[in-house]
Amino acid sequence: MPELPEVETTRRGIAPWVAGFEINEVIVRQRQLRIAVPSALEELVGWRVGDIARRAKYLLMPVAHGHLLWHLGMSGSLRLEEIGTPPRKHDHIDLVMSSKLVLRYHDPRRFGLVDFIAGDPCADRRLASLGPEPLGDDFGGAHLYRRSRGKRVAVKSFIMDSAVVVGVGNIYAAEALFLAGIDPRREAGRIASVRYRRLAEAIRRVLAAAIEQGGTTLRDFVSGRGEPGYFVQRLNVYGRGGQPCRVCGRELRSITLGQRASVYCPGCQR
Ligand SMILES: [Zn+2]
């Protein structure tokens, strides 16, 4: 599933050939995505796209009197192709840009969506309920501490709640908790503020590192080769249950927490 770093990498990869350019043609081959592709999409021909923003795992493209809202769902990707490149299976939408490249949406499972929001996108219900961006100024240890008081939920589930902070998927939650030395099962409301400072710092670090590594795949957007897939990161705990901890050598333990697989080190995390 595309996580926040993949979406941010997509934004950076497509922006130079989409933002500031006009939409010359819209081709929709499949309208049935998570929601039906609105006919408003075809009405955007001739309009210029503004600066592309990301909010959580949504991409927002200002155009005409509103914004295009994209979400990649479980298996979606946006890539740039040369004009005339034949569509592959599951290439559902093309925006032919005046930059002479095609912005092409590919999604085998069709859980992604594109919608047109007229007016202020911040008022849209899908965006209004979201917590702060993990790499933004509104996020930090104080925010996590404040939001966690009185919460009995496990800290891992707490930081994966998009109303608390957006974009902390299962991999990043597991890795950040390891770096911060916090047991994923610990009750969110019983963690001290100094430990939340370390956790917020760790969340920023793992996400920033993933975005940084995504930068090396940007050339793929131009040529149309490859996709913004899963970045090969050096993972300390995720997917390493039963293997030795890289720090203390103890066997990493696998558990299920909030219906998600979780791995942690019983020596380093408490
Ligand atoms: Zn350890």
Side-chain angles (χ1 to χ4, degrees), residues 44 51 60-69 115-121:
L44 297 175
D51 285 337
L60 279 162
M61 299 180 192
V63 64
H65 52 285
H67 288 76
L68 276 181
L69 180 78
D115 202 1
F116 182 75
I117 305 174
D120 179 13

Side-chain angles (χ1 to χ4, degrees), residues 10 16 118 170:
T10 297
N170 200 29

Side-chain angles (χ1 to χ4, degrees), residues 76-94:
S77 61
L78 278 167
R79 41 201 262 152
L80 294 162
E81 301 271 20
E82 305 287 344
I83 289 177
T85 305
R88 299 170 303 164
K89 197 176 179 187
H90 310 301
D91 281 348
H92 303 312
I93 300 171
D94 283 358

Side-chain angles (χ1 to χ4, degrees), residues 178 245-250 252 265-269:
F178 175 79
C245 172
R246 297 194 210 277
V247 175
C248 73
R250 281 181 70 169
L252 299 177
C265 174
C268 296
Q269 294 174 259

